Amino acid sequence: MNHPTIKYLQEYLKSKDFQDGDPQPYFLKLVEEVGELSHAIFMGAPHASDDNIKGSIEEELWDVMYYTLCIANEYGIDMEKWIKMKEDYNNKRYNSGAKYDPQ
């Protein structure tokens, strides 16, 4: 099974869902989806099964990731580039001892 990279997900989403520089619709959807994720968590939504994702926490987490990556696309941000920098900063700031080193 191939595992998608952040880069692949951004390219995939841009090929099917791009507003050409207007992040506002995606931001509004992101806020909505964070609310749905919150509801799913606090209401104890079931986990997805191999044949059903509807109404699950997994579904709502993907929706949050989807719109987050769409916003990055609208701003022309390569998230893979910035994840390492932010993780290095967080690990130093919070002294976690973890080292971000994707293979």
Side-chain angles (χ1 to χ4, degrees):
M1 176 179 167
N2 289 339
H3 297 284
T5 62
I6 300 295
K7 182 176 185 68
Y8 170 81
L9 290 172
Q10 282 192 253
E11 289 172 358
Y12 168 71
L13 294 175
K14 191 171 185 177
S15 75
K16 69 179 234 162
D17 195 350
F18 186 66
Q19 299 290 327
D20 198 23
D22 184 7
Q24 185 174 6
Y26 295 119
F27 178 73
L28 294 174
K29 286 298 292 180
L30 175 61
V31 170
E32 177 184 337
E33 295 301 340
V34 168
E36 289 179 12
L37 174 60
S38 174
H39 185 262
I41 290 170
F42 289 110
M43 297 305 290
H47 285 283
S49 64
D50 287 342
D51 61 347
N52 185 23
I53 194 170
K54 192 68 184 146
S56 67
I57 291 172
E58 290 85 349
E59 176 186 25
E60 301 308 336
L61 282 169
W62 168 243
D63 290 345
V64 168
M65 287 177 60
Y66 181 104
Y67 290 109
T68 299
L69 294 176
C70 285
I71 291 168
N73 283 344
E74 293 300 324
Y75 282 105
I77 297 169
D78 173 359
M79 289 303 297
E80 284 191 349
K81 176 181 178 180
W82 299 106
I83 289 170
K84 181 181 183 335
M85 182 182 288
K86 180 61 174 156
E87 280 305 298
D88 288 347
Y89 171 79
N90 286 347
N91 291 337
K92 186 184 302 178
R93 183 174 181 199
Y94 299 109
N95 198 23
S96 72
K99 178 166 173 41
Y100 182 78
D101 187 26
Q103 298 300 321

